[in-house]
Amino acid sequence: MNMRPAALFLVLAPWTPLAAKWAEARSENFVFAGQVSEEQAVQLVRELELYRFAVLSLLRYDTGPEVHPVEVFGIRGQRGMEKLSGSRGIAGVYRQATDGPVFLLDTRDGLDPGEDSRSTALHEFAHHIINSKSAQFIPRWYNEGFAEFLSSFRADGDVVTLGTPRISFANSLRYGDWMPWEEVFGAVVRYPDWSSSSRIYWPGYFYGQSWLAVHYIQFTPEMSGKFGNYLALINNRVDGVEAFEKGFEITLDAFEKDIRRYFNRDNYPITQLRFADSFPEPDIAVRTLTPGETLRAQLRAMSAFVSGADERHQRWMERQLEKSLAQDGKTMEVLDGYLALSMARDDHDAAVAWGEEALALYPGEPRALRIAGDAHFHRYQAAAADDEKEADRQDLIKARRLFAEQLAVDPKNPTANAHYVETFTLLGHRPDQLAMDAAAFNISLRRNASFTDTHLTAAELYLLGGFAEAACERVRLIEPWLVPPRDTDPDPVKEAWEKFEARLDKVREQLPAGCLAA
C-alpha cells in the first residue's frame, strides 16, 4: 500500500451553479445521472475516471475497464436523498447492487473537493477497488483509514494531491479520550465492539484514528517501508496487535507517543505528485434527460436501495412506478423496479409474474433475462428458507436456463454469473463448462478473501465437478478470516453465520485429508 506514482495527467475546472434538470453522462467505467448541469455531469464522470486511474496506478493494479459500469446518482438535498435511498441524514451512500456498485450523492452543495458527498463517493469507491483487486486480506482498520486517505484526492493541472486532513477528524480527535490503540489494530476482520453505552463515541474515534495512523505511516519512511512486513504477518494469521508491533518494529506505547506528537503539531504533510505522461482522456457522452427519463433514472436508483427499506419508502417507490407506468408503459426500468419492490416485500410470486412479463415484452434482451432469472432464483431461495413452504426445484432449473441465455450475450454480468453457479450448488448437480467459467469469473471479480460466500460457493461447485484441490484452495483462502458473530450481534447475523458454517463443514468433510494444512 505504500504509494508509488504512475503516469497520468489531470485537469479539473471549477463547478458551475447547480441546475434543476437532470443530466446523464456516460464513460467506459461510469454512468452518472443527477440533478446537475451537463457540464457538471461531465466533470464528475471525468474526475471519477481520473480518480480510478490514479488509485489503480498508485496501487499497481490493472487499470483495465470495470466489468460493469458503476452507476452514480445525484440529487439535491436530504429530502431527495431520502426519497431515493430510504435513509435519512446521509450525504452519500454506496451499495453493491444487482449488476455492480451503485452510489447515491447529495448534489445540493456541489461536488467540490472536501464536500461530504464527494468524499463519501471516493471513500466507498476506494473500498471497491481494494476489495476487488487485492488478493491479500487488508485489515479492517487499514482498509477504512486508507479509503479516507484516498478520498482527499484533488487534482490541479498535472499535480495530484493526497493526504489533506478532514476537519471532522481533527475535531473529533482533539476532544475526549481516544480509543485504545489495541482496539484499533485488533480490528482486522471486523470492527471493534462499540455496542455498549460507554463506547458510544468509538465509531468516530475509530475512523479518525485509522485515518491518522494511515496518514502517519504513509508519511513516515521508517513506517511505510515496513508495511509489507506487517501485511505478510496479518496474512499469515498473526494476531493484529502482535503483527503491528513485529511488522513495524515498534511497541504500541512507543507508537502512541509518536502519533500523539504527530497529531498535536497541527501541520500535516500532503503528497503532491506531478505526472509526466498523460492520462488516457475518457470519451464521455452527455445529455439532458427528459422528465420521463429522469423518473426512470430515479427508479434505477430506488431499485438499488429498496431492499430493507421501510414500508413508507416502499409506498413512495410504488407511486413512482405507477406514475412512470402511466407515462411510458412497461419500460425495463419499471419492470426491474417492480421486481425489486416485490422481492423487498417478500412477494416472490409477484416478482416471477413481473419477470415473465419482461420476457414476453423484451424476448432475448439481457436485462429481461436477468429480471426473470432473478425472480425465479429468489423465489426458490425464499421458499427453501421458510419451514412452512416447499421450494420448487423447477424455479432453479428455469433460472439456470435464463441465466445461460443471458451469459451467451452478456458474459460479464455479475448477477447472472453468480446465480448460474448457485443453481448447480443448491441442487447438487455436476457443473457444466459454463458454470466452471462463471465460478472463475466470480473469483476474478471478488478475489479478496473478505468475499467469503463467493469463495465457499466456488468450493462447493468444484467439489461437485471433482476438483477437490481447487475447492481446498478456496477454503484455505477464507478460513483465517472467518469469525463467529458476537453475542451483541442481531439474530439475522447469527442465523446467517450458522447457515454459512453448516455449508463450510459440509465442504470440509469432502476435502482430501491434510489439504487445508498445505
Side-chain angles (χ1 to χ4, degrees):
M1 288 293 172
N2 191 26
M3 298 174 300
R4 296 186 177 92
L8 81 154
F9 179 77
L10 305 173
V11 177
L12 295 176
W15 286 102
T16 55
L18 289 168
K21 293 182 178 180
W22 276 49
E24 179 189 81
R26 291 176 174 265
S27 66
E28 184 175 30
N29 295 299
F30 297 93
V31 177
F32 171 77
Q35 203 170 7
V36 297
S37 68
E38 288 189 5
E39 182 182 358
Q40 290 172 308
V42 169
Q43 184 180 336
L44 174 63
V45 169
R46 187 168 188 274
E47 180 166 329
L48 287 171
E49 286 281 3
L50 297 172
Y51 175 74
R52 177 183 181 275
F53 185 84
V55 173
L56 289 171
S57 298
L58 292 168
L59 297 177
R60 295 188 167 185
Y61 294 156
D62 178 20
T63 59
E66 292 289 310
V67 167
H68 189 278
V70 177
E71 284 208 282
V72 185
F73 300 94
I75 193 166
R76 294 171 63 175
Q78 288 295 304
R79 182 173 173 80
M81 291 289 289
E82 183 182 349
K83 294 294 187 185
L84 294 190
S85 71
S87 300
R88 300 180 182 181
I90 57 173
V93 64
Y94 161 93
R95 173 163 291 183
Q96 188 70 29
T98 304
D99 290 329
V102 173
F103 298 92
L104 179 58
L105 310 175
D106 184 350
T107 62
R108 176 186 51 197
D109 297 323
L111 295 165
D112 289 322
E115 294 295 345
D116 283 346
S117 57
R118 179 187 185 276
S119 296
T120 298
L122 299 185
H123 175 109
E124 296 296 349
F125 192 63
H127 282 318
H128 168 71
I129 291 173
I130 293 168
N131 293 337
S132 62
K133 298 287 186 178
S134 173
Q136 286 188 297
F137 191 90
I138 310 299
R140 181 72 66 185
W141 73 267
Y142 195 90
N143 206 324
E144 292 296 348
F146 195 62
E148 282 296 338
F149 182 87
L150 294 174
S151 73
S152 67
F153 171 88
R154 295 169 182 249
D156 182 15
D158 63 350
V159 176
V160 172
T161 300
L162 289 170
T164 305
R166 288 181 66 177
I167 299 301
S168 59
F169 287 153
N171 289 338
S172 67
L173 295 177
R174 192 165 304 284
Y175 306 104
D177 295 326
W178 290 9
M179 282 179 62
W181 281 104
E182 56 264 27
E183 293 282 356
V184 176
F185 298 137
V188 174
V189 179
R190 60 185 176 188
Y191 296 99
D193 183 5
W194 43 57
S195 57
S196 67
S197 58
S198 63
R199 298 179 172 186
I200 191 172
Y201 299 111
W202 273 28
Y205 289 134
F206 176 73
Y207 283 93
Q209 288 175 243
S210 295
W211 168 83
L212 181 62
V214 168
H215 198 281
Y216 177 69
I217 290 168
Q218 287 292 333
F219 290 105
T220 306
E222 56 266 33
M223 295 290 289
S224 60
K226 297 171 184 174
F227 178 75
N229 298 335
Y230 163 71
L231 197 59
L233 288 169
I234 286 291
N235 280 269
N236 280 312
R237 311 185 191 190
V238 176
D239 170 76
V241 174
E242 182 183 352
F244 186 90
E245 291 187 324
K246 286 184 175 179
F248 289 111
E249 300 178 15
I250 188 171
T251 65
L252 285 194
D253 288 341
F255 175 80
E256 180 160 11
K257 291 176 183 177
D258 289 347
I259 204 164
R260 286 277 185 179
R261 285 193 294 268
Y262 187 78
F263 174 74
N264 289 331
R265 71 187 192 179
D266 275 340
N267 183 20
Y268 299 103
I270 59 174
T271 289
Q272 289 192 311
L273 305 170
R274 188 179 297 276
F275 297 100
D277 299 326
S278 64
F279 161 80
E281 191 67 32
D283 290 328
I284 302 174
V286 63
R287 64 194 182 97
T288 297
L289 299 180
T290 66
E293 290 171 331
T294 295
L295 179 54
R296 293 199 296 275
Q298 292 170 352
L299 289 175
R300 293 204 312 274
M302 284 184 263
S303 296
F305 293 97
V306 71
S307 176
D310 60 25
E311 182 59 32
R312 178 170 170 267
H313 179 63
Q314 291 177 3
R315 287 197 302 270
W316 164 256
M317 180 177 176
E318 188 169 31
R319 289 196 294 273
Q320 304 316 299
L321 284 166
E322 291 168 353
K323 181 179 177 181
S324 186
L325 182 62
Q327 288 180 355
D328 299 317
K330 293 175 181 175
T331 61
M332 203 70 81
E333 290 83 359
V334 165
L335 295 166
D336 210 355
Y338 273 117
L339 171 78
L341 182 60
S342 298
M343 291 200 297
R345 289 173 165 172
D346 290 326
D347 189 350
H348 293 279
D349 289 340
V352 167
W354 285 111
E356 293 302 319
E357 190 140 18
L359 287 177
L361 291 170
Y362 302 96
E365 286 289 326
R367 195 167 170 187
L369 292 165
R370 195 265 298 154
I371 291 171
D374 222 18
H376 281 283
F377 179 85
H378 286 285
R379 184 165 71 175
Y380 175 89
Q381 270 200 328
D386 190 333
D387 292 336
E388 297 182 1
K389 293 183 179 179
E390 185 174 349
D392 185 354
R393 296 164 66 90
Q394 288 305 309
D395 271 326
L396 282 188
I397 298 299
K398 186 158 190 177
R400 181 187 298 175
R401 178 179 61 77
L402 292 166
F403 288 132
E405 287 184 47
Q406 183 184 1
L407 290 172
V409 292
D410 185 14
K412 293 185 177 182
N413 184 273
T415 295
N417 277 285
H419 288 343
Y420 188 76
V421 168
E422 290 173 291
T423 65
F424 288 86
T425 60
L426 290 170
L427 293 178
H429 290 175
R430 186 176 181 85
D432 58 16
Q433 187 58 50
L434 183 58
M436 296 295 292
D437 292 343
F441 173 86
N442 297 335
I443 292 169
S444 72
L445 190 62
R446 299 184 174 94
R447 67 189 66 192
N448 196 272
S450 61
F451 294 107
T452 53
D453 192 74
T454 295
H455 295 289
L456 180 58
T457 301
E460 292 170 327
L461 187 84
Y462 292 153
L463 285 173
L464 290 169
F467 302 99
E469 183 51 45
C472 194
E473 183 182 351
R474 294 301 100 203
V475 176
R476 279 201 303 266
L477 177 70
I478 64 174
E479 266 204 324
W481 318 115
L482 300 176
V483 179
R486 299 184 176 103
D487 291 340
T488 54
D489 286 335
D491 288 341
V493 172
K494 296 174 182 176
E495 291 166 5
W497 167 256
E498 289 174 1
K499 292 177 181 178
F500 181 90
E501 192 173 33
R503 290 171 54 203
L504 180 60
D505 287 343
K506 186 176 179 181
V507 166
R508 284 186 180 125
E509 291 171 359
Q510 300 174 70
L511 295 176
C515 84
L516 292 179

